[in-house]
Amino acid sequence: YEIPVNNECEGAISVSPYPVPEIMMGDNFGATPDFEVDDRETCGIFWDTRGVWYNIKGRGTIVRMEYQLNSYHQGKTELSVFTGSCDALKCVVNKEADSSPWYSAELNYLL
């Protein structure tokens, strides 16, 4: 698999939740570990987790973020929210997927 364009924080894809919710389709095939081995665990996410990045600029309203995976997916799945610049990320919240047949997680968050 090719490395996704949003593999790193600096390459995050901008998403606009206004005025209508935006639906993003994608995957993390080819993604590389998000954090350095020295980090061990960031926001409840192990250093070798392979994720992709999105950027949302809030306006003081509730934003719903969610993902859904098919039942063929294997492994731990999570949805995390960070604030700050890429070189100084601060964890806000991390949500692990439930174990339903369609692994999913959702967060409603004030941005």
CSV table of all heavy atoms in Angstrom, one decimal, residues 2-9 11-13 25-34 49-55 78-80 82:
chain,number,residue,atom,x,y,z
A,2,GLU,N,0.4,2.3,-0.6
A,2,GLU,CA,1.1,3.6,-0.6
A,2,GLU,C,0.8,4.3,0.7
A,2,GLU,O,-0.3,4.1,1.3
A,2,GLU,CB,0.6,4.5,-1.7
A,2,GLU,CG,1.0,4.0,-3.1
A,2,GLU,CD,0.6,5.0,-4.2
A,2,GLU,OE1,0.6,6.2,-3.9
A,2,GLU,OE2,0.4,4.5,-5.3
A,3,ILE,N,1.7,5.1,1.2
A,3,ILE,CA,1.5,5.9,2.4
A,3,ILE,C,0.5,6.9,2.1
A,3,ILE,O,0.6,7.7,1.1
A,3,ILE,CB,2.8,6.5,2.9
A,3,ILE,CG1,3.8,5.4,3.3
A,3,ILE,CG2,2.6,7.4,4.0
A,3,ILE,CD1,5.2,5.9,3.6
A,4,PRO,N,-0.6,7.1,2.9
A,4,PRO,CA,-1.6,8.1,2.7
A,4,PRO,C,-1.1,9.5,2.8
A,4,PRO,O,-0.1,9.7,3.6
A,4,PRO,CB,-2.6,7.8,3.8
A,4,PRO,CG,-2.3,6.5,4.4
A,4,PRO,CD,-0.8,6.2,4.1
A,5,VAL,N,-1.7,10.4,2.1
A,5,VAL,CA,-1.2,11.8,2.2
A,5,VAL,C,-1.4,12.4,3.6
A,5,VAL,O,-0.6,13.3,4.0
A,5,VAL,CB,-2.0,12.7,1.1
A,5,VAL,CG1,-1.6,12.3,-0.3
A,5,VAL,CG2,-3.4,12.7,1.4
A,6,ASN,N,-2.3,11.9,4.3
A,6,ASN,CA,-2.6,12.4,5.7
A,6,ASN,C,-2.0,11.5,6.8
A,6,ASN,O,-2.5,11.4,7.9
A,6,ASN,CB,-4.0,12.7,5.9
A,6,ASN,CG,-4.9,11.5,5.7
A,6,ASN,OD1,-4.6,10.5,5.0
A,6,ASN,ND2,-6.1,11.5,6.3
A,7,ASN,N,-0.9,10.8,6.4
A,7,ASN,CA,-0.3,9.8,7.3
A,7,ASN,C,0.4,10.6,8.5
A,7,ASN,O,0.4,10.0,9.6
A,7,ASN,CB,0.8,9.1,6.5
A,7,ASN,CG,1.6,8.1,7.4
A,7,ASN,OD1,1.0,7.2,7.9
A,7,ASN,ND2,2.9,8.3,7.5
A,8,GLU,N,0.8,11.8,8.3
A,8,GLU,CA,1.5,12.6,9.4
A,8,GLU,C,0.6,13.7,9.8
A,8,GLU,O,-0.2,14.2,8.9
A,8,GLU,CB,2.8,13.1,8.9
A,8,GLU,CG,3.8,12.0,8.5
A,8,GLU,CD,4.4,11.3,9.7
A,8,GLU,OE1,4.4,11.8,10.8
A,8,GLU,OE2,4.8,10.1,9.5
A,9,CYS,N,0.7,14.2,11.0
A,9,CYS,CA,-0.1,15.4,11.4
A,9,CYS,C,0.1,16.6,10.5
A,9,CYS,O,-0.9,17.2,10.1
A,9,CYS,CB,0.4,15.8,12.8
A,9,CYS,SG,-0.4,17.2,13.5
A,11,GLY,N,0.4,16.6,7.4
A,11,GLY,CA,-0.4,16.4,6.2
A,11,GLY,C,-1.9,16.2,6.4
A,11,GLY,O,-2.6,15.7,5.5
A,12,ALA,N,-2.4,16.6,7.6
A,12,ALA,CA,-3.8,16.4,7.9
A,12,ALA,C,-4.7,17.0,6.9
A,12,ALA,O,-4.5,18.1,6.3
A,12,ALA,CB,-4.1,17.0,9.3
A,13,ILE,N,-5.8,16.3,6.5
A,13,ILE,CA,-6.8,16.8,5.6
A,13,ILE,C,-7.7,17.7,6.3
A,13,ILE,O,-8.3,17.3,7.4
A,13,ILE,CB,-7.5,15.6,4.9
A,13,ILE,CG1,-6.5,14.8,4.1
A,13,ILE,CG2,-8.7,16.1,4.1
A,13,ILE,CD1,-7.1,13.5,3.5
A,25,MET,N,-14.5,9.6,3.4
A,25,MET,CA,-14.3,8.2,3.3
A,25,MET,C,-12.8,8.0,3.1
A,25,MET,O,-12.1,8.8,2.4
A,25,MET,CB,-15.0,7.7,2.0
A,25,MET,CG,-16.5,8.0,2.0
A,25,MET,SD,-17.4,7.0,3.2
A,25,MET,CE,-17.5,5.5,2.3
A,26,GLY,N,-12.3,7.0,3.7
A,26,GLY,CA,-10.9,6.7,3.6
A,26,GLY,C,-10.5,5.5,4.4
A,26,GLY,O,-11.3,4.8,4.9
A,27,ASP,N,-9.2,5.2,4.5
A,27,ASP,CA,-8.7,4.1,5.2
A,27,ASP,C,-7.3,4.5,5.7
A,27,ASP,O,-6.7,5.5,5.4
A,27,ASP,CB,-8.7,2.8,4.4
A,27,ASP,CG,-7.9,2.9,3.1
A,27,ASP,OD1,-6.7,3.3,3.2
A,27,ASP,OD2,-8.4,2.7,2.1
A,28,ASN,N,-6.7,3.6,6.5
A,28,ASN,CA,-5.3,3.8,7.0
A,28,ASN,C,-4.4,2.8,6.4
A,28,ASN,O,-3.3,2.6,7.0
A,28,ASN,CB,-5.3,3.9,8.5
A,28,ASN,CG,-5.7,2.6,9.2
A,28,ASN,OD1,-6.3,1.7,8.5
A,28,ASN,ND2,-5.5,2.6,10.5
A,29,PHE,N,-4.7,2.1,5.3
A,29,PHE,CA,-3.8,1.2,4.7
A,29,PHE,C,-2.5,1.9,4.3
A,29,PHE,O,-2.6,2.9,3.7
A,29,PHE,CB,-4.4,0.5,3.5
A,29,PHE,CG,-5.5,-0.4,3.8
A,29,PHE,CD1,-6.8,-0.2,3.3
A,29,PHE,CD2,-5.4,-1.5,4.7
A,29,PHE,CE1,-7.9,-1.0,3.6
A,29,PHE,CE2,-6.4,-2.3,5.0
A,29,PHE,CZ,-7.7,-2.1,4.5
A,30,GLY,N,-1.4,1.4,4.7
A,30,GLY,CA,-0.1,2.0,4.3
A,30,GLY,C,0.4,3.0,5.3
A,30,GLY,O,1.5,3.5,5.2
A,31,ALA,N,-0.4,3.4,6.3
A,31,ALA,CA,0.0,4.4,7.3
A,31,ALA,C,1.1,3.8,8.2
A,31,ALA,O,1.2,2.6,8.4
A,31,ALA,CB,-1.2,4.7,8.2
A,32,THR,N,1.9,4.7,8.6
A,32,THR,CA,3.1,4.4,9.5
A,32,THR,C,2.8,4.7,10.9
A,32,THR,O,1.8,5.5,11.2
A,32,THR,CB,4.3,5.1,9.0
A,32,THR,OG1,4.1,6.5,9.1
A,32,THR,CG2,4.7,4.7,7.6
A,33,PRO,N,3.5,4.3,11.9
A,33,PRO,CA,3.3,4.6,13.3
A,33,PRO,C,3.1,6.1,13.5
A,33,PRO,O,3.9,6.9,13.0
A,33,PRO,CB,4.5,4.0,14.1
A,33,PRO,CG,4.9,2.9,13.2
A,33,PRO,CD,4.7,3.4,11.8
A,34,ASP,N,2.2,6.5,14.4
A,34,ASP,CA,1.9,7.9,14.7
A,34,ASP,C,2.9,8.6,15.6
A,34,ASP,O,3.1,9.8,15.5
A,34,ASP,CB,0.5,8.1,15.3
A,34,ASP,CG,-0.6,7.8,14.2
A,34,ASP,OD1,-0.4,8.2,13.0
A,34,ASP,OD2,-1.6,7.3,14.6
A,49,THR,N,0.7,2.6,16.8
A,49,THR,CA,-0.6,2.7,16.2
A,49,THR,C,-0.5,3.4,14.8
A,49,THR,O,0.2,4.4,14.7
A,49,THR,CB,-1.6,3.4,17.0
A,49,THR,OG1,-1.8,2.7,18.3
A,49,THR,CG2,-3.0,3.6,16.4
A,50,ARG,N,-1.1,2.9,13.8
A,50,ARG,CA,-1.1,3.5,12.5
A,50,ARG,C,-2.4,4.2,12.2
A,50,ARG,O,-3.4,3.5,12.0
A,50,ARG,CB,-0.8,2.4,11.4
A,50,ARG,CG,0.6,1.9,11.5
A,50,ARG,CD,0.8,0.5,11.0
A,50,ARG,NE,2.2,0.1,10.8
A,50,ARG,CZ,3.0,-0.2,11.8
A,50,ARG,NH1,2.6,-0.1,13.0
A,50,ARG,NH2,4.2,-0.5,11.6
A,51,GLY,N,-2.3,5.5,12.1
A,51,GLY,CA,-3.5,6.3,11.9
A,51,GLY,C,-3.3,7.3,10.8
A,51,GLY,O,-2.2,7.5,10.3
A,52,VAL,N,-4.4,8.0,10.5
A,52,VAL,CA,-4.4,9.1,9.6
A,52,VAL,C,-5.0,10.3,10.3
A,52,VAL,O,-5.7,10.2,11.3
A,52,VAL,CB,-5.2,8.8,8.3
A,52,VAL,CG1,-4.5,7.7,7.5
A,52,VAL,CG2,-6.6,8.3,8.6
A,53,TRP,N,-4.7,11.5,9.8
A,53,TRP,CA,-4.9,12.7,10.4
A,53,TRP,C,-5.9,13.6,9.7
A,53,TRP,O,-5.8,13.7,8.4
A,53,TRP,CB,-3.6,13.5,10.7
A,53,TRP,CG,-2.7,12.8,11.6
A,53,TRP,CD1,-1.9,11.8,11.3
A,53,TRP,CD2,-2.5,13.1,13.0
A,53,TRP,NE1,-1.2,11.4,12.4
A,53,TRP,CE2,-1.6,12.2,13.5
A,53,TRP,CE3,-3.1,14.0,13.9
A,53,TRP,CZ2,-1.1,12.2,14.8
A,53,TRP,CZ3,-2.7,14.0,15.2
A,53,TRP,CH2,-1.7,13.1,15.6
A,54,TYR,N,-6.8,14.3,10.4
A,54,TYR,CA,-7.7,15.3,9.9
A,54,TYR,C,-7.7,16.5,10.8
A,54,TYR,O,-7.4,16.4,11.9
A,54,TYR,CB,-9.2,14.7,9.8
A,54,TYR,CG,-9.3,13.5,8.9
A,54,TYR,CD1,-9.1,12.2,9.3
A,54,TYR,CD2,-9.6,13.8,7.5
A,54,TYR,CE1,-9.2,11.2,8.4
A,54,TYR,CE2,-9.7,12.7,6.6
A,54,TYR,CZ,-9.5,11.4,7.1
A,54,TYR,OH,-9.5,10.4,6.2
A,55,ASN,N,-8.0,17.6,10.2
A,55,ASN,CA,-7.9,18.9,10.9
A,55,ASN,C,-9.3,19.6,10.8
A,55,ASN,O,-9.8,19.8,9.7
A,55,ASN,CB,-6.8,19.8,10.3
A,55,ASN,CG,-6.7,21.1,11.0
A,55,ASN,OD1,-7.6,21.6,11.6
A,55,ASN,ND2,-5.5,21.7,10.7
A,78,GLU,N,-9.5,3.3,17.2
A,78,GLU,CA,-9.7,4.4,18.1
A,78,GLU,C,-9.9,5.7,17.3
A,78,GLU,O,-9.5,5.8,16.2
A,78,GLU,CB,-8.5,4.5,19.0
A,78,GLU,CG,-8.2,3.3,19.8
A,78,GLU,CD,-6.9,3.4,20.7
A,78,GLU,OE1,-6.8,4.5,21.4
A,78,GLU,OE2,-6.1,2.5,20.7
A,79,LEU,N,-10.6,6.6,18.0
A,79,LEU,CA,-10.8,7.9,17.5
A,79,LEU,C,-10.3,8.9,18.5
A,79,LEU,O,-10.7,8.8,19.7
A,79,LEU,CB,-12.3,8.2,17.2
A,79,LEU,CG,-12.7,9.5,16.7
A,79,LEU,CD1,-12.1,9.8,15.4
A,79,LEU,CD2,-14.3,9.6,16.7
A,80,SER,N,-9.4,9.8,18.2
A,80,SER,CA,-8.7,10.6,19.1
A,80,SER,C,-8.8,12.1,18.7
A,80,SER,O,-8.8,12.4,17.5
A,80,SER,CB,-7.2,10.3,19.2
A,80,SER,OG,-7.0,9.0,19.5
A,82,PHE,N,-7.0,15.8,19.3
A,82,PHE,CA,-5.8,16.6,19.8
A,82,PHE,C,-6.0,18.0,19.6
A,82,PHE,O,-6.8,18.4,18.7
A,82,PHE,CB,-4.5,16.1,19.1
A,82,PHE,CG,-4.1,14.7,19.4
A,82,PHE,CD1,-4.6,13.7,18.7
A,82,PHE,CD2,-3.2,14.4,20.5
A,82,PHE,CE1,-4.2,12.4,18.9
A,82,PHE,CE2,-2.8,13.1,20.8
A,82,PHE,CZ,-3.3,12.1,20.0
